[in-house]
Amino acid sequence: MNAKKLVLATRSPAKAACRVILMMGMMPCAFAAEEDPEVKEQTRPTSKIEAGVLYNSDDSAKAGEYNGLNKEGPYGIGSIDLSGGSNYDSDSTRRWRVKGTNLGLQNRNFIGEYGWQGKLKLNIEYDELQRNRSDSFQTPYQGEGTNNLTLPDSWLVPLVPRISGTAANARGLSPDVTDSSILAPTLANPNNLLAPTAAQLAAAKTIQNADLPLFHNVNLYTNRKTYDGGFSYFITPEWEFTAKVTHMDRNGYKPMGFESKAVTGDRVSILPDLIDQTTDQYNASFNYTGEKAFMQLGYYGSIFSNNTNSMRWQDWGPSSTIANIGISSLSPRFDTMSTAPDNQFHQFNMNSGYNFSPTTKLVMGGSYAQSTQNDTFLNSAPIVTNATTGANYNPTPLVPVTSLNGLIETSTFNLKFTHKPTKDLGLAFGYKYDNRDNQTPVNNYAFYASDEPPTGSANAAFVNALRVGPLGSNININANTPYSKMSNQITLNGNYHLAKDHWLNAGYEWEKLDRGCTGSWYNCVNAPTSNEHTGKAQWRANWTDSINTRIDYAFSKRSVDYDENSWLSMVPMANVPPTGAPNLPNGQPATAYNTMLYYGLTGYGPALGYNPQPLAGSALAYFFAGNNALSTATYGNRDRISELLGMRRFNMANRDRNKLRTAANWQATQKLSFQGGFDFTNDDYIDSTYGLQKSREWDINLDASYALSDTFSANLFYSHQNQLSSTAGNSYNANTNATSVNGATALSGSSGCNNFTTVGQRNLNYKIDPCLNWLSDMQNDVDVLGLSLAKRGLMGGKLSLEGNFVFSWAKTNVDVTGGNYANNPRLAAARNPATSTAAYFIPAANLPSVTTDTFDLRFTAQYAFTKASSIRAMYSYMRMDSSDYAYEGMQPGALVAVLPTYESAPIYSVHAIGLSYNYSFQ
Amino acid sequence: MKLLPLQRYLLLALLLLCTGLANALENADAKPLPAKPATTQDKPDLAQGKPDQSLERDKVCTRCHDETDKPKVLPIYQTPHGVRADARTPSCQSCHGDSDAHVKNPGGGSTRPKTEIIFHGPDKSSAEKLNGTCMSCHQAGLRVHWNSSQHETNGVVCSSCHTSHTPRDKVLDKTTTSQSEVCYTCHKTQRAEARLFSKHPMIFAKMACSSCHNPHGSNGPKMLVKNSVNETCYTCHAEKRGPFLWEHQPVIEDCSNCHTPHGSNNPPLLKARTPWLCQECHSGDHSAQINSGANLQNGDVTTINGLAPLANAPGRPQFAGRNCMNCHVMVHGSNHPAGSIFTR
């Protein structure tokens, strides 16, 4: 300790008296060399320790989603904040700090800092975050915590025996379904209901008794543990070097759908996907700060490792056709799902700036990065037995390389020049370049979707082109599309101090995006080029000392040349003439692509009904039979991936955007203030016939603050948010010349949108039926109301109280117009009277509201025994009531192909009460 | 696991750093580095590594603004601004100006003239003056892009968010909700969104606004800490980075095409609910199908206007439960040879 302590000037009477005594040469004063206690209290850091206990009243994953309080029971409260080092007036700049928060919970944090200010600083940090996703998830699978999920040996394949004794059906887990009658219409009795037989009931009961007890709860959560260490060191006053290493471990489970088509139909299990990942990040930089110039040269590296390279799960259905009702063999079939591959990102960056003068500055920077990934592809073999034919097949017959050899080079450059030609005018010019150059090789792959067994035969030309086969007609022959994107952006901005307390700002921005895939045989993106122009203006004003306002407006226009056929890039066989395809009228061999080009069509094909038929034997008839969409067999893909004519992907579509922001502040009195704001954004996708049509959001925010005194304050706030997005689509079907359904021909219910009275008329125009247009309007409404009160200095200054109350109400409504056709279920298998209704058109209905209402109350009281010692009592109450129709689909009996998970919308009402002792010292 | 070449270089670099660090630690307790010679007129009052002289300058002000002042000013000595042995440390006059008229009160009136630079209150100095005061020392590092940034353009000044005279500047505290509370004084929509059903852990103090944003300006959009939205997101969500064999175009372009990071009623942080979110772009095969209340479990389509009994009326897997995500799970990209439609 420095014996000669410098002290700040103080008006302390005792100190002043001492100075007088000293000046008079009288005996030395006791205070001369000691720091005033009040000064010391303010100039020396205060350390704090808190220890206590908290009790949480209920289990709830959602209530404890991030705060570590997901279980009922006691928890330790612990926090420390210790600081020290040399005094402010000493010759040393040594400082240190140790801080820990929530030490008794799974969201604890610990920080340590030590160093000499202006010279060297070391820091470490440990942070833990547990995110609790769900405590209502159930599964019959065993093996959670591993990447191999199996069913118990006692599992019986669920069936609904009344419907079928051989087809796997997850609805068989619900007695409501298995015990109810099914419709079995006859000519004599269209309403004929057949109750399950005793044997069918018994079989269903056997399955339910075996399977339902196997469902057990698995808490879904993700836990992150982050370890941080770094330092900064001043080599010279101008040059500083900093470095930091961060290691993060991420573990847990998240729910994921696992689909298999290996046996007849689709089967899905929603399973706890194992998360076992690490991410290591490295930061280092040299920083130069001069009088006029500054520069930063840096490196950032990120290495992601996934210790789970695949997930393997057992099919819940049979491995073959079920022979006997109710007793079915557990499938030995396993399927394999990929996981996120290991990847690395390494970036070198530079930022620099130069002040030409106090009013002129140039900032420039750039970066170069490489992103790589080269994990060995999952082997979808071993060869799988085709349940129908008994033959073996390989679900991925063509995998030309063993790994991706993925490489993305990202380079950026930015420049900003600012200048104030006058004291009232500021100008800025900016340019940004960002290029994501994906150099991942393009290859062709062939696979059966979700391990589906091959059926039929693929076109011989495709088999020959790939030199692998035989292939089923349901093969997918796809090429990967490594996306690249380059952005060039220019911004101009002017800021003008119009008059005292009035400012105007105006700006213009232009951004050009170029997109593509190196190596693709066809343009891989819908909008290879897009241009967006933005103009903006702002007016800020201080009307009086107590009232200020701000209003901003911006308009943006984005224009693209949209290519509706970019999907072709994924299907290389669209450029191969199929065996049997007739030549085009110009004599060229017809490929799917050539044919579309020749006729000026997209994959949607002619916007026509069944008639007039394309000329028999023509390329048009071959590729667009019945005037329908391009036949998927002609391009070697199982499913149609071409889009509706007029569909626009919103991120690459023409768009007009209007954006308005306003804010006002009023300091009504010294104690009372008000704030308000209104924001509005509207996006119009002006040329999108289908897809996102419009997106709109507006927000209102109101605040009031009242500070009655230094010891009492109150804040009240209210926010309302409304978001709307409108999406249009069309559920078109294939034109046919079928005229009846089991003999019935009448069509009912569609007179409001078409003039068809028979299914024959509908079928002839199924592709262009206006009744199949639909529109969904999704609206989110959110209200948040908050109140906080704080009162200090009660009971002679010893007691402080604080309360926070927040209410929120959120609702999502989806209103849908349009409709569906559904065949009449009350038709007999054949020979129904022609006048019978074959199908109904059923109008769309709105969705039930998705609601989330929450109430959050926190109350603390702190009583100080002494300046150093206090106790703190806290109480919190959290409540959530939510409803979401989506959970209905997760219950038994909902879906044929998806096992239930029993998840439910979170509803909780949780109290927590705690008491802690606090000690502070210097 | 065999180290890749790059990993070897990184390890070597780390070893070199540790060696340098050890050397630095040995020399750390040496005298602090001298300040650069105060050759510029705008920084004449720096501590220059001489605590005694620096405090003599402060005494001009602390003679009156002492421990009894309200609000308290002396806690600045607990902060980095108060470390007098650091050559760069400012004196009171560095930030508030020499303010001779305020100090001497030549008129002798009961109301003193104001200081030259005033940070709060109705007589607050201009934004240019206030920011220029702070930027005279703090212009590099995170503040490189301050000029013409969104905050600077909107008249935000350093002292709008930062406090210098409190023991801790609460906007620098990322372990409590202090920082976000400062940001919410203006960004109230984000304050509301932080309480929605699906959210980042902002109100639980596990993330702060500066986890993603640099409020001083940046090269990225919306003042993000990295060059792009995706680069910022990948700092915590590196499993989404790829590159993947099968990429999902809107994902690699911009995470915010589908996600709204501040909070949403549609988990996980989605702008819109599925399946309609997916149908904003997809109309191939079954993705073209209408999805409405009539397609729900007991809806009119499922029950065919009530004609089909329960056993004959299953839900549609593309719509019920997790809808598209029942099967198409690898939406951020798939590295499986059979994953082009993200089911593997």
Side-chain angles (χ1 to χ4, degrees), chain A residues 394-413:
Chain A
N394 184 353
T396 49
L398 178 60
V399 181
V401 290
T402 56
S403 62
L404 182 67
N405 206 18
L407 170 64
I408 300 173
E409 292 187 346
T410 307
S411 46
T412 69
F413 174 74

Side-chain angles (χ1 to χ4, degrees), chain A residues 71 144 256 281 356 386 544 587 602 620 718 784:
Chain A
K71 292 286 184 196
E144 58 262 20
M256 214 162 89
Q281 297 182 75
F356 293 97
N386 185 321
T544 68
T602 69
L620 193 62
Y718 170 73
V784 182

Side-chain angles (χ1 to χ4, degrees), chain B residues 9 22 54 91 97 157 171 181 221 231 241 266 279 289 300 307 314:
Chain B
Y9 287 125
S54 175
S91 62
V157 297
V171 84
E181 285 165 12
E231 249 187 69
R241 183 167 53 211
N266 308 306
Q279 293 181 302
Q289 291 300 305
D300 286 341
L307 295 177

Side-chain angles (χ1 to χ4, degrees), chain A residues 6-7 9-11 39 42 44-45 62 66 83 88-90 95 97 99 107 109 116-118 127-128 163 171 176 182-183 224 234 237-238 241 250 255 257 259 268 281 291 302 304 336-338 341 343 346-347 355 363 367 373 377 380 414 416 418 428 432 436 438 445 447 478 480 483 505 515 538 550 640 643-644 649-652 675 699 701 703 717 721 727 730-731 774 776 778 782 806 812 820 826 845 852 884-886 894 903, chain B residues 6 10 17 21 28-29 34 36 40 51-52 55 59 62-64 66-68 74-75 77-78 80 82-86 88 139 144-145 147-148 153-155 168 173 175 185 188-189 191 193 195-197 199 204 206 219 227 231 235-236 238-239 241-247 249 252-253 257 265 273 276 280-281 283-285 288 290 292-293 295 297 300 304 307 310-315 321-322 326 329 335-338 340 343-344:
Chain A
L6 289 168
V7 294
T10 172
R11 285 183 292 188
V39 171
Q42 292 187 30
R44 305 296 164 85
K62 189 61 181 173
Y66 288 118
S83 307
Y88 69 91
D89 54 355
S90 75
R95 292 286 183 280
R97 187 182 187 191
K99 184 176 181 189
N107 60 345
N109 176 273
W116 292 262
Q117 182 173 311
D127 188 85
E128 193 173 336
I163 293 177
R171 301 181 84 212
D176 289 344
I182 64 159
L183 196 59
R224 288 174 186 250
F234 276 92
E238 293 85 6
F241 176 72
R250 185 166 169 253
E259 184 207 15
V268 175
Q281 297 182 75
E291 287 295 325
S302 172
F304 169 78
T336 309
M337 175 73 79
S338 71
N343 66 68
H346 301 281
Q347 182 185 63
N355 291 323
V363 173
S367 69
Q373 185 274 107
F377 287 144
S380 270
N414 64 86
K416 188 157 67 170
T418 56
K432 268 200 272 193
R436 178 190 201 256
N438 195 334
Y445 299 80
F447 62 91
N478 292 160
N480 59 312
Y483 295 108
N505 182 281
R515 304 178 175 97
Q538 181 196 74
R550 190 196 82 228
R640 186 183 75 229
E643 306 287 354
L644 276 167
R649 297 202 158 105
F650 67 89
N651 64 316
M652 293 185 280
Q675 286 178 295
D699 307 88
N701 298 290
D703 277 63
F717 73 85
Q721 181 181 70
T727 305
N730 185 296
S731 347
W774 57 262
S776 76
M778 185 180 314
V782 178
V806 180
T812 301
N820 265 105
R826 305 205 170 194
T852 307
D884 188 337
Y885 62 83
E903 290 165 277
Chain B
L6 184 59
L10 284 172
L17 281 174
L21 182 60
D29 210 8
K36 291 169 286 183
T40 55
D52 300 2
L55 285 170
K59 269 191 199 172
T62 60
R63 193 165 55 203
C64 296
D66 61 8
E67 71 277 11
T68 62
L74 297 187
Y77 291 103
Q78 297 184 42
V83 179
R84 287 294 175 247
D86 185 343
R88 308 163 301 167
Q139 67 172 338
V144 159
H145 292 280
N147 282 32
S148 190
T153 306
N154 278 282
R168 301 274 177 215
D173 186 358
T175 62
T185 53
K188 301 182 193 300
T189 300
R191 177 184 59 187
E193 289 176 334
R195 297 196 164 268
L196 292 178
F197 183 91
K199 53 192 172 280
F204 305 97
K206 298 308 292 184
N219 180 44
N227 292 323
E231 249 187 69
T235 57
C236 289
E239 71 278 9
R241 183 167 53 211
F244 296 96
L245 171 59
W246 308 104
E247 291 192 320
Q249 197 277 336
I252 64 97
E253 188 155 294
N257 277 326
N265 204 33
R273 287 177 71 87
W276 299 281
E280 289 178 1
C281 291
S283 61
D285 204 65
I290 186 174
S292 82
N295 301 100
Q297 185 63 43
D300 286 341
I304 312 175
L307 295 177
L310 175 65
N312 293 93
R322 288 178 164 81
N326 280 328
V329 295
N335 209 50
H336 193 292
S340 68
T343 55
R344 275 290 177 271

Side-chain angles (χ1 to χ4, degrees), chain A residues 564-695:
Chain A
E564 295 195 50
N565 289 325
S566 67
W567 57 273
L568 288 170
S569 58
M570 269 189 71
V571 285
M573 295 301 109
N575 205 29
V576 173
T579 302
N583 285 349
L584 287 166
N586 61 6
Q588 261 192 319
T591 66
Y593 171 57
N594 284 350
T595 307
M596 288 162 55
L597 205 60
Y598 180 85
Y599 289 103
L601 297 172
T602 69
Y604 177 80
L608 294 171
Y610 190 78
N611 293 314
Q613 277 282 289
L615 185 65
S618 68
L620 193 62
Y622 180 88
F623 288 95
F624 297 99
N627 290 323
N628 286 313
L630 186 66
S631 164
T632 61
T634 66
Y635 57 85
N637 211 66
R638 180 191 189 275
D639 298 311
R640 186 183 75 229
I641 58 172
S642 58
E643 306 287 354
L644 276 167
L645 186 65
M647 162 63 87
R648 294 289 182 269
R649 297 202 158 105
F650 67 89
N651 64 316
M652 293 185 280
N654 289 339
R655 181 189 71 187
D656 285 348
R657 168 173 280 180
N658 287 276
K659 199 165 181 175
L660 175 72
R661 297 188 67 187
T662 65
N665 298 307
W666 177 33
Q667 187 76 41
T669 69
Q670 207 170 9
K671 297 179 193 294
L672 180 64
S673 66
F674 297 98
Q675 286 178 295
F678 173 74
D679 298 338
F680 176 82
T681 305
N682 189 71
D683 290 344
D684 261 313
Y685 295 88
I686 48 180
D687 295 321
S688 302
T689 307
Y690 297 110
L692 187 62
Q693 304 291 291
K694 178 167 71 175
S695 168

Side-chain angles (χ1 to χ4, degrees), chain A residues 333-413:
Chain A
R333 269 200 49 77
F334 283 81
D335 293 279
T336 309
M337 175 73 79
S338 71
T339 59
D342 294 355
N343 66 68
Q344 297 195 12
F345 179 80
H346 301 281
Q347 182 185 63
F348 294 92
N349 50 70
M350 187 272 291
N351 276 305
S352 64
Y354 188 77
N355 291 323
F356 293 97
S357 70
T359 57
T360 307
K361 182 174 177 177
L362 176 69
V363 173
M364 275 198 324
S367 69
Y368 170 78
Q370 278 197 350
S371 190
T372 57
Q373 185 274 107
N374 203 32
D375 265 13
T376 303
F377 287 144
L378 271 186
N379 186 2
S380 270
I383 307 299
V384 180
T385 301
N386 185 321
T388 304
T389 66
N392 291 337
Y393 69 101
N394 184 353
T396 49
L398 178 60
V399 181
V401 290
T402 56
S403 62
L404 182 67
N405 206 18
L407 170 64
I408 300 173
E409 292 187 346
T410 307
S411 46
T412 69
F413 174 74

Side-chain angles (χ1 to χ4, degrees), chain A residues 124-422:
Chain A
I124 58 170
E125 183 173 357
Y126 171 77
D127 188 85
E128 193 173 336
L129 172 64
Q130 173 135 327
R131 185 195 163 198
N132 295 297
R133 293 172 181 267
S134 169
D135 51 10
S136 61
F137 175 87
Q138 296 189 39
T139 178
Y141 282 80
Q142 300 169 324
E144 58 262 20
T146 74
N147 67 339
N148 190 35
L149 299 172
T150 59
L151 288 163
D153 290 342
S154 57
W155 174 263
L156 296 180
V157 175
L159 309 167
V160 179
R162 188 66 203 90
I163 293 177
S164 166
T166 58
N169 188 332
R171 301 181 84 212
L173 294 172
S174 167
D176 289 344
V177 174
T178 58
D179 298 356
S180 65
S181 302
I182 64 159
L183 196 59
T186 64
L187 285 175
N189 184 8
N191 302 316
N192 184 45
L193 291 172
L194 282 180
T197 64
Q200 290 165 346
L201 285 171
K205 189 63 69 183
T206 300
I207 294 169
Q208 288 155 13
N209 287 344
D211 292 350
L212 291 177
L214 298 176
F215 280 82
H216 59 280
N217 176 259
V218 175
N219 285 341
L220 302 176
Y221 70 91
T222 314
N223 182 284
R224 288 174 186 250
K225 291 189 170 81
T226 307
Y227 309 82
D228 229 83
F231 72 93
S232 65
Y233 178 61
F234 276 92
I235 305 164
T236 70
E238 293 85 6
W239 284 96
E240 181 189 13
F241 176 72
T242 67
K244 187 166 103 164
V245 175
T246 305
H247 174 83
M248 181 182 72
D249 291 319
R250 185 166 169 253
N251 297 285
Y253 314 101
K254 67 176 199 270
M256 214 162 89
F258 291 72
E259 184 207 15
S260 174
K261 292 184 197 289
V263 190
T264 308
D266 253 319
R267 276 194 294 282
V268 175
S269 308
I270 308 292
L271 297 174
D273 182 42
L274 178 65
I275 299 170
D276 182 5
Q277 302 163 354
T278 64
T279 306
D280 292 300
Q281 297 182 75
Y282 307 91
N283 281 280
S285 67
F286 278 101
N287 306 288
Y288 171 77
T289 308
E291 287 295 325
K292 290 193 171 189
F294 42 90
M295 187 174 63
Q296 183 182 62
L297 289 168
Y299 162 78
Y300 169 72
S302 172
I303 299 173
F304 169 78
S305 301
N306 194 343
N307 301 315
T308 306
N309 63 3
S310 66
M311 288 295 295
R312 189 168 172 267
W313 80 102
Q314 191 168 8
D315 190 345
W316 60 263
S319 58
S320 58
T321 303
I322 300 167
N324 301 306
I325 290 175
I327 309 296
S328 45
S329 57
L330 180 62
S331 171
R333 269 200 49 77
F334 283 81
D335 293 279
T336 309
M337 175 73 79
S338 71
T339 59
D342 294 355
N343 66 68
Q344 297 195 12
F345 179 80
H346 301 281
Q347 182 185 63
F348 294 92
N349 50 70
M350 187 272 291
N351 276 305
S352 64
Y354 188 77
N355 291 323
F356 293 97
S357 70
T359 57
T360 307
K361 182 174 177 177
L362 176 69
V363 173
M364 275 198 324
S367 69
Y368 170 78
Q370 278 197 350
S371 190
T372 57
Q373 185 274 107
N374 203 32
D375 265 13
T376 303
F377 287 144
L378 271 186
N379 186 2
S380 270
I383 307 299
V384 180
T385 301
N386 185 321
T388 304
T389 66
N392 291 337
Y393 69 101
N394 184 353
T396 49
L398 178 60
V399 181
V401 290
T402 56
S403 62
L404 182 67
N405 206 18
L407 170 64
I408 300 173
E409 292 187 346
T410 307
S411 46
T412 69
F413 174 74
N414 64 86
L415 177 154
K416 188 157 67 170
F417 180 76
T418 56
H419 175 55
K420 293 195 71 169
T422 72

